[in-house]
Amino acid sequence: MRPFLHDQPATRTLFGEGRLAELPNEADRLGLKRLLVLSTPEQTALGGEALRLLGPRGAGLFTKARMHVPIETAEAARAEARRLDADGTVAIGGGTTTGLAKAIALSLDLPSIAIPTTYAGSEMTSIWGLSEGGIKKTGRAEKVRPRTAIYDPTLTYGMPARLSATSGMNALAHCVESLYAEDTNPIVRIFAAESIRAFARSLPLILKEPRNAEARSDAHYATWLAGTVLDRTTMGLHHKLCHTLGGSFDLPHAEVHTVILPHATAYNRAAAPEAMRAIAQALGAEDAAQGLYDLAKSLDAPLALKDIGMKEENLDAAARLATQSPYANPRPVELAPLRQLLDDSYYGRRPERPAAA
Ligand code: NAD
């Protein structure tokens, strides 16, 4: 066993069907008396339900959370929190809503309770993001880490098939990159492999039976694990590339992750053999990259950048942007092979295995 460091800040986690009802107790436990509930416009009703549950502890509802936290949205939510004299927030929704709670915490130091309804995993991390003028900045700060996470799988029963598939692939991307991260460790590797196994068995079932309680619960459990390994390690090529594509070409977050993941995995195949074995084994596949592609395909998830709004004439610019600043990755990130990766992703080709493999 190689020496390692595993430092894991705790987020109190409540897990199970119906546990949303415990929100008021959790607020009391944190000593919070005036909570601002956050949601997207699409999840206004759910936000209202959380506010109703809070009773006198609820200060108000802000339903304008938007993907990648535009600075104007963050400012409007901060102003609302100040106006209502809120002492904390409840983020009920996906990564977008949790992201807004983090933006508030970043400047106002308000603690948050996160109630995730997708598989993005943001509730387990100290990573924040804010976008301004089309550019997304991210960073890490302990004060944005949600204090409590309530995973109630019943809130995911109505998640549309496409979002279930792409959000699951987004979480799998955290696991894949944590396995070959420079700062990976044996605990992270156990969590990541377990998360991949749980997603590989639950997502196909969810696509067939969206209200299958066991499968939804399994996927939410896998989300906790995936969010935790995202938090504990430094992501490589896959996340950096998705960040570039999402931020500069305005592509939908979870769908970009879904399309790129098999190709980023193939890119790193020869440079990270141990990680590849772990991924393939957890997927029950012979090859990690092909296994991820086949899983996405079986979930009817998008496989090609051309199908999710990318323009072919922008591929050169994307390759240049993604190679501009250096970052850790098992295989050096170079322009020509990256441009090939983007071409394969654009057309949605199944990653090939090298002849010797
Ligand atoms: P999202 O939160 O944007 O949700 C997508 C849409 O689906 C929204 O309209 C939302 O209201 C709706 N929705 C969410 N859950 C639903 C459900 N159960 N049923 C029906 N509709 C539902 O999507 P996401 O992929 O969860 O989050 C993406 C954002 O999260 C991105 O901005 C990404 O950068 C960020 N993110 C951050 C981290 C982190 O650690 N900071 C981790 C992962 C993702």
Side-chain angles (χ1 to χ4, degrees), residues 12-100:
R12 181 175 160 86
T13 303
L14 283 75
F15 191 98
E17 291 181 18
R19 296 206 80 166
L20 174 63
E22 291 169 61
L23 174 60
N25 303 344
E26 291 306 310
D28 290 347
R29 212 175 163 276
L30 293 168
L32 300 174
K33 295 181 168 52
R34 291 192 57 77
L35 286 145
L36 174 62
V37 178
L38 309 170
S39 78
T40 59
E42 296 80 18
Q43 290 182 296
T44 299
L46 193 58
E49 167 71 2
L51 185 64
R52 189 191 59 74
L53 275 171
L54 284 169
R57 310 162 194 83
L61 177 60
F62 182 91
T63 61
K64 295 181 190 143
R66 278 187 51 207
M67 177 98 63
H68 302 316
V69 201
I71 187 76
E72 302 77 23
T73 310
E75 287 301 345
R78 288 164 179 163
E80 187 63 354
R82 275 192 296 261
R83 186 182 74 78
L84 294 168
D85 196 22
D87 60 1
T89 60
V90 172
I92 186 157
T96 290
T97 307
T98 310
L100 184 58

Side-chain angles (χ1 to χ4, degrees), residues 46 59 62 111 113 196 199 213 250 328:
L46 193 58
F62 182 91
I113 298 176
I196 297 172
F199 274 126
D250 200 24

Side-chain angles (χ1 to χ4, degrees), residues 17 24 40 58 68 70 134 179 193 199 231 235 263 267 298 331 345 347:
E17 291 181 18
T40 59
H68 302 316
L179 283 162
F199 274 126
D231 185 53
M235 298 286 106
H263 303 284
Y267 187 97
S298 76
R331 174 179 168 194
S345 312
Y347 288 104

Side-chain angles (χ1 to χ4, degrees), residues 7-348:
D7 174 14
Q8 193 172 329
T11 297
R12 181 175 160 86
T13 303
L14 283 75
F15 191 98
E17 291 181 18
R19 296 206 80 166
L20 174 63
E22 291 169 61
L23 174 60
N25 303 344
E26 291 306 310
D28 290 347
R29 212 175 163 276
L30 293 168
L32 300 174
K33 295 181 168 52
R34 291 192 57 77
L35 286 145
L36 174 62
V37 178
L38 309 170
S39 78
T40 59
E42 296 80 18
Q43 290 182 296
T44 299
L46 193 58
E49 167 71 2
L51 185 64
R52 189 191 59 74
L53 275 171
L54 284 169
R57 310 162 194 83
L61 177 60
F62 182 91
T63 61
K64 295 181 190 143
R66 278 187 51 207
M67 177 98 63
H68 302 316
V69 201
I71 187 76
E72 302 77 23
T73 310
E75 287 301 345
R78 288 164 179 163
E80 187 63 354
R82 275 192 296 261
R83 186 182 74 78
L84 294 168
D85 196 22
D87 60 1
T89 60
V90 172
I92 186 157
T96 290
T97 307
T98 310
L100 184 58
K102 289 175 167 181
I104 295 174
L106 194 62
S107 65
L108 302 184
D109 291 338
L110 295 190
S112 68
I113 298 176
I115 308 171
T117 65
T118 68
Y119 307 137
S122 175
E123 62 285 351
M124 294 312 297
T125 83
S126 66
I127 304 166
W128 56 265
L130 273 172
S131 43
E132 192 167 5
I135 296 178
K136 187 170 177 185
K137 264 199 281 180
T138 58
R140 291 187 187 241
E142 271 312 308
K143 66 178 173 180
V144 310
R145 183 188 297 286
R147 300 283 286 276
T148 302
I150 303 179
Y151 286 80
D152 183 340
T154 59
L155 303 179
T156 64
Y157 289 0
M159 207 196 311
R162 188 169 171 114
L163 181 61
S164 302
T166 57
S167 190
M169 293 300 294
N170 179 201
L172 281 169
H174 309 333
C175 299
V176 166
E177 293 227 289
S178 77
L179 283 162
Y180 55 58
E182 271 187 344
D183 45 6
T184 191
N185 70 51
I187 315 293
V188 159
R189 289 197 292 271
I190 290 170
F191 283 13
E194 171 67 356
S195 178
I196 297 172
R197 272 193 299 275
F199 274 126
R201 68 180 172 239
S202 60
L203 291 174
L205 249 174
I206 285 169
L207 266 282
K208 272 195 232 124
E209 300 169 39
R211 305 187 76 83
N212 183 311
E214 208 160 310
R216 285 295 191 184
S217 171
D218 215 11
H220 233 180
Y221 156 68
T223 300
W224 185 97
L225 294 162
T228 301
V229 300
L230 166 66
D231 185 53
R232 293 296 86 207
T233 54
T234 308
M235 298 286 106
L237 167 68
H238 170 82
H239 279 74
K240 298 290 186 297
L241 187 53
C242 291
H243 185 98
T244 303
L245 289 168
S248 306
F249 304 99
D250 200 24
L251 304 182
H253 174 80
E255 300 191 0
V256 181
H257 274 268
T258 305
V259 172
I260 295 294
L261 185 60
H263 303 284
T265 308
Y267 187 97
N268 283 324
R269 184 189 269 131
E274 260 183 66
M276 296 300 145
R277 267 194 297 278
I279 299 161
Q281 201 175 38
L283 288 170
E286 281 192 17
D287 175 75
Q290 291 183 337
L292 290 163
Y293 182 94
D294 295 344
L295 176 62
K297 192 170 180 185
S298 76
L299 301 174
D300 276 334
L303 296 170
L305 287 179
K306 68 180 170 53
D307 297 336
I308 60 166
M310 185 70 183
K311 296 202 173 69
E312 193 166 15
E313 63 261 31
N314 286 335
L315 293 179
D316 285 334
R320 272 196 309 276
L321 276 173
T323 44
Q324 249 166 19
S325 41
Y327 47 84
N329 188 63
R331 174 179 168 194
V333 180
E334 290 161 350
L335 193 61
L338 188 72
R339 182 62 182 79
Q340 181 61 49
L341 182 167
L342 283 168
D343 204 66
D344 292 339
S345 312
Y346 183 78
Y347 288 104

